[in-house]
């Protein structure tokens, strides 16, 4: 910039993130129910695809270290699966919460389709988690957590409102 003129200041990173979140919330709020249902189906399919890819990755790592005197990695891989999927599903939950006011005024007849899609997809993700656990078959029993719980809680709250 010429002397005396200052370059336009950039907003702090936190403002950029906030405005991006607001833009996403606005865009999601403007979708019709059918448009959001398509978006939601694709997001949940991406989550299931991620779970399936991570299941394959965990299996490859497990097979690579099995029988080589390495420490038992099954529980670590299962925990990593949970952490990755929990993080992803938390972000999906934020998208769902961004439409809370729109969902509160949705047609009651539309809601069962949305719930069925949501629960079917979440159950598929859980089945992939269970499949990973069976494939790795840890020597020490691994209890784990229900990675669907956060999104289910949001769905329940939005169903009640």
């Amino acid at each position: 910039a010429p002397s005396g003129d200052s370059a336009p200041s950039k907003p702090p990173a936190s403002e950029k993130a906030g405005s991006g979140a607001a833009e996403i919330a606005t865009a999601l709020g403007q979708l019709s129910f059918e448009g959001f249902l398509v978006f939601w189906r694709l997001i949940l399919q991406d989550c299931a695809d991620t779970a399936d890819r991570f299941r394959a990755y965990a299996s490859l790592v497990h097979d690579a270290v099995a029988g080589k005197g390495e420490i038992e990695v099954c529980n670590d891989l299962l925990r990593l699966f949970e952490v990755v999927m929990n993080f992803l599903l938390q972000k999906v939950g934020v998208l769902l919460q961004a439409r809370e006011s729109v969902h509160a005024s949705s047609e009651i007849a539309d809601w069962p389709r949305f719930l069925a899609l949501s629960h079917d997809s979440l159950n598929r993700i859980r089945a992939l988690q269970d499949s990973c656990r069976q494939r790795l078959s840890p020597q020490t029993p691994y209890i784990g957590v229900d990675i669907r719980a956060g999104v289910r809680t949001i769905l329940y709250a939005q169903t009640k409102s």
Side-chain angles (χ1 to χ4, degrees):
S3 62
D5 292 340
S6 61
S9 65
K10 294 182 181 179
S14 61
E15 280 185 34
K16 287 181 189 177
S19 67
E23 290 173 13
I24 291 170
T26 300
L28 288 174
Q30 292 174 347
L31 289 174
S32 67
F33 176 79
E34 292 299 324
F36 182 74
L37 200 60
V38 169
F39 168 80
W40 189 241
R41 180 179 296 115
L42 292 172
I43 286 291
L44 291 176
Q45 182 60 51
D46 282 346
C47 291
D49 291 346
T50 300
D52 195 33
R53 284 190 298 274
F54 194 87
R55 179 182 60 147
Y57 166 78
S59 184
L60 286 171
V61 170
H62 177 264
D63 291 348
V65 299
K68 294 186 177 178
E70 296 291 325
I71 60 170
E72 180 68 22
V73 295
C74 298
N75 286 346
D76 292 337
L77 289 169
L78 290 170
R79 179 69 186 131
L80 185 57
F81 181 100
E82 286 178 1
V83 169
V84 168
M85 291 309 301
N86 258 330
F87 182 76
L88 181 57
L89 290 172
Q90 283 174 351
K91 301 311 171 206
V92 168
V94 169
L95 296 174
L96 185 57
Q97 287 174 319
R99 268 191 68 94
E100 186 170 10
S101 62
V102 176
H103 287 164
S105 62
S106 293
E107 294 291 323
I108 293 174
D110 290 334
W111 200 246
R113 289 188 310 149
F114 174 73
L115 286 178
L117 168 66
S118 299
H119 289 298
D120 288 348
S121 296
L122 291 171
N123 288 340
R124 180 164 179 251
I125 291 167
R126 176 59 187 238
L128 289 164
Q129 180 184 19
D130 290 342
S131 172
C132 186
R133 184 180 296 113
Q134 289 171 358
R135 169 68 180 91
L136 299 181
S137 60
Q139 293 173 355
T140 310
Y142 185 80
I143 305 299
V145 299
D146 185 356
I147 57 178
R148 309 163 298 170
V151 174
R152 285 189 180 228
T153 300
I154 296 166
L155 288 169
Y156 178 74
Q158 289 186 8
T159 298
K160 286 190 66 147
S161 63

